[in-house]
Every structure is written in C-alpha cells, then in structure tokens.
Amino acid sequence: MVNMSSRMVEIADFPSVNLGNTRSLYVYLPPSYHVNTEKRYAVLYMHDGQHVFSADVTGESWEMHETADRLVSEGRMEEIIIVGIATVPHQRLNEYFHDNPRMHEVTDPPFAGEQYEAFIIEEVMPYMNATFRTLQGPNTRL
C-alpha cells in the first residue's frame, strides 16, 4: 500500500472577465490523484477559499483537506477535488449578494451576485474541467 498525502495547488491571480478582478483558487487534489491517472473526481466548490485549507489574518482554517482525507480513510466518502475560491478584499459581500432592498441596509452597492455566479459557472468550472480530471455534469454525485 502506497501512503501518499493529498496535494494542494494554488492558482494565483485567476482572472475574471465577469467581475473584472483576480483572486486565488486553492485546489486540494486527493491522495490518489497522481497515482490513478485515469480516474476522474467530483468537485466541491467552496467560497471564502482563503479559509478552506489554512488560516489568515481574517479567520481560522476550516481544514477541509484534513476532513476529506479522514472521511475517505474511514470509508465515509469517495475522494474528491476541493476548490477554495478566495474572496477579493472589500468586495466579498457585494459579490455574494444580489441587489434587493434589504441589502442596502447591510452594504453599499454595486451588488455583483449574478456576476459572481457567472464567474463560477463560466470561468472557474470550465478552467477546472480543462485543467484537472473532473467528473462533469449535473448527475455527478458525491
């Protein structure tokens, strides 16, 4: 039995046409990714990506890579790829929310929720599908 740990990859300065900015994508590749080169993996996309795998000055780490490795070793889930989509400082709330009357009480416009959704669907997901061995389509289940 080969004991390989998972692997982390950072895609720095990932550009978005929809949002007009750049950010990092943090990618967890499961232990078998580089061993079983024919296998494709389901992908979990997570917001606040700077906290998915490590802590920073604004918050603690969620340690998702450790959780995924543990759940796989316990036989409770299949191996997956996890993508942490980092926020852009001072744009987080605006990107996560759509314009509605109540949002004006929380933060100032412009609200870019629709553009953020398009960024994930039209830019991040196609990049991940072209770059990594992912399972694709709505019928992919974890």
Side-chain angles (χ1 to χ4, degrees):
M1 180 172 148
V2 176
N3 184 11
M4 277 191 85
S5 62
S6 57
R7 182 160 174 228
M8 305 297 294
V9 177
E10 178 181 0
I11 295 112
D13 300 316
F14 186 83
S16 173
V17 172
N18 284 292
L19 294 167
N21 58 31
T22 63
R23 71 193 69 224
S24 288
L25 302 178
Y26 302 98
V27 181
Y28 157 92
L29 299 173
S32 72
Y33 188 84
H34 296 290
V35 176
N36 186 351
T37 58
E38 300 300 315
K39 184 175 180 178
R40 295 193 165 273
Y41 299 84
V43 183
L44 173 63
Y45 294 92
M46 299 186 70
H47 310 294
D48 291 331
Q50 69 279 5
H51 296 256
V52 173
F53 307 113
S54 63
D56 70 4
V57 295
T58 63
E60 298 295 319
S61 173
W62 304 336
E63 305 294 347
M64 289 300 298
H65 56 303
E66 292 178 7
T67 301
D69 287 345
R70 180 178 50 79
L71 292 173
V72 168
S73 72
E74 293 171 355
R76 296 172 61 191
M77 69 178 261
E78 296 290 320
E79 288 185 316
I80 61 171
I81 294 171
I82 302 172
V83 180
I85 303 167
T87 59
V88 173
H90 311 296
Q91 294 182 30
R92 179 180 179 269
L93 289 178
N94 300 80
E95 289 184 353
Y96 287 177
F97 295 107
H98 293 230
D99 194 5
N100 69 64
R102 300 290 314 248
M103 282 312 305
H104 293 267
E105 298 170 13
V106 177
T107 189
D108 295 323
F111 301 105
E114 291 179 21
Q115 292 89 340
Y116 183 74
E117 291 172 8
F119 162 65
I120 294 170
I121 294 167
E122 298 170 5
E123 298 174 294
V124 175
M125 291 175 73
Y127 173 83
M128 291 300 299
N129 292 339
T131 307
F132 299 96
R133 293 188 320 275
T134 64
L135 289 173
Q136 301 174 33
N139 294 327
T140 302
R141 304 226 183 229
L142 297 177

